[in-house]
Amino acid sequence: MTAHDIAPPLLTLRRLDEVEGWFFPADQFVFDWLLTHQYARGIRGDLLELGVYKGKSAILIGYHVMAGEQFTVCDLFDSDDAPDDPTADEMRVYYSTLTRQVFEANYLRFHRRLPTVVQSPSSAITDHVPERSCRFVHIDASHLYHHVRADIAAARHLLAEDGVVSLDDFRSPHTPGVAAATWEAILTAGLKPVMLTESKLYGTWGSPDTLRDALAAHLTTHPTLWGVTEDVAGHTLLRVHSR
Ligand SMILES: C[S@@+](CC[C@H](N)C(=O)[O-])C[C@H]1O[C@@H](n2cnc3c(N)ncnc32)[C@H](O)[C@@H]1O
């Protein structure tokens, strides 16, 4: 079976719009394309999401979990478990209607079984997921610099060769800490940017060229997205834009 065989039907994707969250069409396309592309090229490994909220991105990732692969999600779910006061404040302002039950009910509207749910600060994730086991890590939890920096270090530890990390909110006005941690990892910690959308930057500690060029070629026939490459600080990355 290939990932294409289990790609979500259009009806399912329409229902994904009914799930509250911050996971936009360009990234829905890139996740779907990337996870399918990895599988088609024999890249196997586990999937991990840090920061699930009500499950919008986790539900799509869940369609790409293949036989023998594990999908783990990590979230605080409750401001009482926040590791510090700024995180508790952020939870109360942005995520006041979040509960683990809401996430699980949403996920089970789309899938028969839940992923492994780790209810804890993302700083504990390396206690739950084996080193070098993952092909994809989505970092979408805290927006604070020191937490995102630690999440990126955890992703590096958990990703297998040619695994990909996706960093949400790497350029939003309200998340300068994510921007700082992202570009710091690129400039000083060996993270190679592959592509970016308005919301997310995708990178690898493996080889970026084949992946970037394959997506660039694919986008030449896409009806609503287009791509252009740009050299930035010694890296060639693909900018993905909507028409
Ligand atoms: C932006 S939302 C995630 C959005 C989600 N991926 C989607 O597609 O809609 C961020 C989530 O991260 C969680 N979070 C914030 N700080 C965290 C931390 N330090 N550890 C784990 N989860 C955290 C919040 O509870 C919230 O559910």
Side-chain angles (χ1 to χ4, degrees):
M1 179 191 281
T2 70
H4 280 299
D5 295 326
I6 53 84
L10 196 57
L11 183 64
T12 310
L13 285 174
R14 284 212 194 98
R15 286 172 52 216
L16 190 61
D17 292 343
E18 295 165 13
V19 178
E20 194 190 327
W22 297 270
F23 186 45
F24 302 110
D27 292 295
Q28 293 176 18
F29 167 80
V30 174
F31 275 41
D32 209 25
W33 178 87
L34 169 66
L35 294 170
T36 303
H37 175 88
Q38 285 185 324
Y39 192 81
R41 268 143 202 81
I43 297 172
R44 302 286 184 272
D46 296 336
L47 307 162
L48 171 65
E49 180 166 86
L50 305 178
V52 296
Y53 192 53
K54 297 186 181 176
K56 196 167 186 119
S57 47
I59 287 164
L60 190 146
I61 295 169
Y63 283 105
H64 290 275
V65 184
M66 295 304 191
E69 295 180 340
Q70 299 294 319
F71 181 25
T72 303
V73 300
C74 171
D75 202 293
L76 293 163
F77 292 112
D78 189 329
S79 60
D80 289 347
D81 297 330
D84 47 43
D85 289 344
T87 303
D89 289 345
E90 190 175 49
M91 296 286 293
R92 279 190 286 269
V93 171
Y94 290 104
Y95 314 130
S96 61
T97 58
L98 175 63
T99 64
R100 180 169 172 170
Q101 287 72 22
V102 168
F103 161 69
E104 293 187 351
N106 279 342
Y107 195 90
L108 291 172
R109 283 172 56 209
F110 294 81
H111 298 288
R112 274 194 218 101
R113 47 187 286 265
L114 290 169
T116 301
V117 180
V118 176
Q119 182 167 357
S120 81
S122 57
S123 55
I125 197 61
T126 51
D127 297 338
H128 298 271
V129 177
E131 186 177 356
R132 296 180 65 78
S133 62
C134 295
R135 64 176 163 116
F136 182 66
V137 176
H138 181 207
I139 297 181
D140 195 6
S142 174
H143 294 135
L144 302 174
Y145 168 72
H146 61 287
H147 290 311
V148 181
R149 190 173 193 267
D151 289 347
I152 294 172
R156 184 179 192 175
H157 180 77
L158 299 175
L159 281 171
E161 195 179 351
D162 290 331
V164 173
V165 62
S166 171
L167 283 146
D168 186 68
D169 267 336
F170 77 100
R171 60 180 284 276
S172 301
H174 67 294
T175 58
V178 185
T182 300
W183 285 103
E184 178 187 55
I186 292 168
L187 296 173
T188 71
L191 178 63
K192 296 162 201 152
V194 179
M195 54 224 178
L196 58 81
T197 62
E198 286 199 1
S199 304
K200 300 186 196 287
L201 184 141
Y202 299 76
T204 181
W205 281 275
S207 169
D209 298 342
T210 310
L211 188 60
R212 183 195 60 234
D213 294 348
L215 181 58
H218 187 72
L219 287 181
T220 59
T221 56
H222 195 280
T224 58
L225 300 175
W226 58 278
V228 59
T229 54
E230 178 168 340
D231 291 340
V232 180
H235 300 278
T236 304
L237 55 80
L238 179 69
R239 296 182 353 229
V240 178
H241 298 276
S242 304
R243 287 183 207 285

